[in-house]
Amino acid sequence: MTHAVINQPPPREGHNVFEEDVALIEAVQREGAAWALADLRALGDLAGAEVWLQRGRAANEAPPQLRTHDRYGHRIDEVTYHPAYHDLMSAAAAHGLHAAPWRDDAPPGAHVARAAKFLVWSRVDAGHLCPMSMTYAVLPSLAHQPDLAAQWRPRVTSPVYDPAFRPAGEKAGATFGMAMTEKQGGSDVRSNSTRALAVDGGGPGTRYRLTGHKWFCSAPMSDAFLVLAQADGGLSCFLLPRWLPDGTRNVFRLQRLKDKLGDRSNASSEVEFADTDAWLVGEEGRGVRTIIEMVGHTRLDCAVGAAASMRHGLAEAAWHAAHRSAFGARLAEQPLMRAVLADLALESEAATALALRLARAFDSATSDVHEAGLRRLAMPVAKYWLCKRAPTHVAEALECLGGAGFVEESDLPRMFRQSPLNGIWEGSGNVQCLDVLRAMAKSPDAVEAFAAEIAASAGGDRRLDEAAETLRKDLAEVREATARRVVERMAVVLQAALLVRHGDPVVADAFCATRLAGDHGTAFGTLPDAVDTQPILARALPALA
């Protein structure tokens, strides 16, 4: 018998993704969304079910296909997806990942609950969550144009996902995309060259015609998009529907789909506008200020998505180590592997704490000055740091599986390819650091709120107090050339403050010892001898208890 399968972990299926994540459960309760625990458990069951995991694999193994013309030569500009993609979209919409916080009956803590669901459902597939994220983020920008918001809000907030390509007015639900980037500009959107000419006299809410090219348009089969274009008054924001009010197709020429490193279940395209109808959102020349509301909410999802990838990688590595033996003992019993897993667990738990705390700031920003200030500064800080940590974290988790982790069937290669996306989407690391500098210069309330959030943990740990004092001095002297170092320190100190104030004492102590006191190497797994890995690993996954 040369093919007997021995010393291999059992399939990781039939588990509840939410219930096994102690740090996430605690964060949901702490940040004001305990009412959502039952919904999260139900979603956790789906996310751990083999049928849904297989749908995520299928959607990635059969990427979207572009059809520019029909058999007779007519332009149709359509993208077709594997049926599994639509199944994933339907489940995500039914659980409110696209718009639940904006519904009239949304309770306090709705952004926290949605962020937790986003983290759980990412386990199945991250690609289809891109249109979920953009749809979630669009209504704050549309609020600048109330008539358009009233027109689209009922369909955006509907729990029904309708994949049919037909006029939005004939559909129960609608999804949104966005298109800002152009080939000559990238993050420098003010250099955009797409032109917008007024048709009905111009002004907020009126029709324009756009001509130009967008280098990245994600989820091109969405029902509508927010786009930037140059009007007479300067760079402006427009709502561009795929179908016009009279039921005819808008001019939306898909030039090609991007062949991407990751995010393969979702289509990203280049698109051409040629006298394409669109409606002005807000005032001419205020496009960045208008669309930045959408950008801010998608940046939250970037941070949550990065935390999700860390948790997923940790769970896969821990499961393997708990069931695989080498050199006479289970991997999870061997000191070096325990140090690696515990270190990954510390990073994952800190990421979850920061992501959910940030989501609470989104819940409370409209009514609480502290929360508004914290959101303004902590958002780019969190996006920068969590998105930087995710690829390294996933790579270490993959290595825990050895050669098995390098094989596509393990899903870790897909996760690894996906891991850099959140750092690139909605502004790279340098863009986030520049935004931190901008917030510090223009929003002193944000600096005060950030400092107050850290000060709330004063006296809880000597190392944290010392790091907070050092950070205070760094903030007084920060400049562009040193921004990355300072923003990194801001994120780590804030994570430590959250763990010291609210987290498990052993986790908080180990995090402060390694991330603040410098008792740590440059790779995961270089924990000091004093760290007790047992309680950290027991929290990370039941299989390691």
Side-chain angles (χ1 to χ4, degrees):
M1 293 282 297
T2 61
H3 294 290
V5 178
I6 59 173
N7 195 27
Q8 291 289 338
R12 183 165 156 72
E13 57 191 46
H15 59 286
N16 190 299
V17 171
F18 178 68
E19 287 186 340
E20 70 180 22
D21 192 344
V22 174
L24 180 59
I25 294 172
E26 293 175 351
V28 168
Q29 295 173 314
R30 178 172 68 245
E31 306 300 353
W35 52 267
L37 291 175
D39 287 345
L40 282 160
R41 290 190 183 97
L43 188 62
D45 271 333
L46 292 185
E50 178 59 22
V51 63
W52 285 103
L53 294 172
Q54 186 54 45
R55 284 170 177 152
R57 297 183 191 108
N60 280 271
E61 291 168 0
Q65 300 295 315
L66 173 62
R67 296 180 63 223
T68 57
H69 296 77
D70 67 13
R71 59 182 293 192
Y72 305 106
H74 303 114
R75 284 204 73 112
I76 56 175
D77 296 299
E78 295 183 18
V79 178
T80 58
Y81 297 82
H82 190 281
Y85 175 88
H86 297 302
D87 293 338
L88 297 170
M89 291 282 285
S90 293
H95 284 270
L97 270 71
H98 67 308
W102 311 122
R103 294 176 187 161
D104 292 337
D105 60 349
H111 289 280
V112 171
R114 180 196 167 273
K117 289 182 178 182
F118 197 94
L119 198 151
V120 167
W121 195 238
S122 293
R123 183 68 57 90
V124 178
D125 169 63
H128 77 287
L129 292 177
C130 177
M132 288 288 109
S133 181
M134 292 186 293
T135 304
Y136 156 69
V138 73
L139 285 177
S141 284
L142 284 186
H144 289 268
Q145 197 57 48
D147 55 333
L148 292 177
Q151 175 186 343
W152 285 92
R153 182 184 177 91
R155 289 191 291 276
V156 169
T157 57
S158 168
V160 176
Y161 166 70
D162 185 349
F165 187 42
R166 61 172 184 259
E170 300 176 9
K171 300 172 67 172
T175 58
F176 263 77
M178 63 195 306
M180 295 190 292
T181 304
E182 296 186 3
K183 52 184 176 285
Q184 79 285 354
S187 297
D188 183 14
V189 295
R190 294 191 183 277
S191 67
N192 281 7
S193 61
T194 298
R195 297 295 306 176
L197 298 177
V199 175
D200 302 324
T206 64
R207 186 163 56 111
Y208 287 66
R209 286 208 170 104
L210 276 53
T211 299
H213 176 271
K214 293 295 180 181
W215 189 240
F216 265 97
C217 176
S218 195
M221 290 303 287
S222 298
D223 297 288
F225 304 83
L226 287 194
V227 304
L228 294 177
Q230 301 285 358
D232 288 344
L235 190 65
S236 306
C237 180
F238 297 88
L239 188 156
L240 189 157
R242 286 298 307 268
W243 293 82
L244 298 175
D246 63 4
T248 60
R249 295 190 187 202
N250 206 353
V251 180
F252 195 83
R253 295 176 180 166
L254 298 177
Q255 303 301 329
R256 62 169 175 157
L257 298 186
K258 301 291 192 179
D259 187 6
K260 299 170 294 184
L261 172 68
D263 206 46
R264 299 187 70 84
S265 65
N266 179 54
S268 296
S269 65
E270 290 179 41
V271 62
E272 200 85 30
F273 305 145
D275 285 334
T276 301
D277 286 337
W279 280 257
L280 180 63
V281 181
E283 300 176 5
E284 285 191 8
R286 310 281 279 182
V288 173
R289 180 176 180 178
T290 300
I291 208 169
I292 201 68
E293 296 282 355
M294 187 176 190
V295 171
H297 285 77
T298 50
R299 283 179 177 174
L300 171 62
D301 283 355
C302 289
V304 174
S309 68
M310 291 189 226
R311 173 61 196 176
H312 188 179
L314 168 65
E316 293 298 324
W319 181 262
H320 181 86
H323 297 90
R324 175 83 163 173
S325 295
F327 310 113
R330 284 193 314 152
L331 291 176
E333 296 169 353
Q334 301 183 27
L336 268 176
M337 180 60 77
R338 292 179 67 80
V340 170
L341 293 174
D343 212 358
L344 292 175
L346 292 177
E347 198 71 27
S348 174
E349 185 154 341
T352 297
L354 179 54
L356 271 289
R357 177 63 185 92
L358 190 57
R360 177 157 71 90
F362 276 71
D363 269 311
S364 307
T366 57
S367 59
D368 189 309
V369 173
H370 171 79
E371 298 297 316
L374 183 65
R375 168 182 154 176
R376 175 65 189 94
L377 190 52
M379 182 65 263
V381 168
K383 183 188 182 304
Y384 172 82
W385 183 238
L386 298 186
C387 295
K388 289 295 179 197
R389 296 298 277 169
T392 305
H393 192 280
V394 173
E396 191 69 55
L398 185 155
E399 189 176 326
C400 289
L401 275 69
F406 206 68
V407 175
E408 290 290 341
E409 290 172 309
S410 72
D411 288 340
L412 282 164
R414 169 159 59 104
M415 195 193 320
F416 183 61
R417 290 192 298 270
Q418 186 75 23
S419 62
L421 171 67
N422 289 307
I424 296 169
W425 190 34
E426 300 300 18
S428 62
N430 284 353
V431 171
Q432 302 309 310
C433 290
L434 291 173
D435 195 29
V436 169
L437 296 181
R438 189 179 306 112
M440 292 177 60
K442 295 185 176 182
S443 305
D445 288 349
V447 179
E448 292 178 8
F450 194 92
E453 190 71 17
I454 295 171
S457 301
D461 188 284
R462 173 187 54 77
R463 296 157 298 190
L464 173 58
D465 292 342
E466 292 173 356
E469 177 60 22
T470 300
L471 177 61
R472 185 188 65 78
K473 296 175 182 177
D474 287 344
L475 291 177
E477 301 173 355
V478 63
R479 58 191 189 280
E480 183 174 327
T482 62
R484 279 192 170 222
R485 180 178 63 82
V486 174
V487 172
E488 173 181 329
R489 199 66 176 169
M490 292 172 73
V492 173
V493 171
L494 179 57
Q495 286 180 314
L498 293 172
L499 293 177
V500 167
R501 186 179 179 188
H502 302 296
D504 178 83
V506 174
V507 170
D509 180 72
F511 189 88
C512 289
T514 54
R515 274 63 171 178
L516 298 182
D519 196 0
H520 192 262
T522 56
F524 285 109
T526 53
L527 297 175
D529 289 341
V531 170
D532 184 359
T533 61
Q534 176 57 31
I536 297 172
L537 293 176
R539 283 174 59 83
L541 198 72
L544 295 176

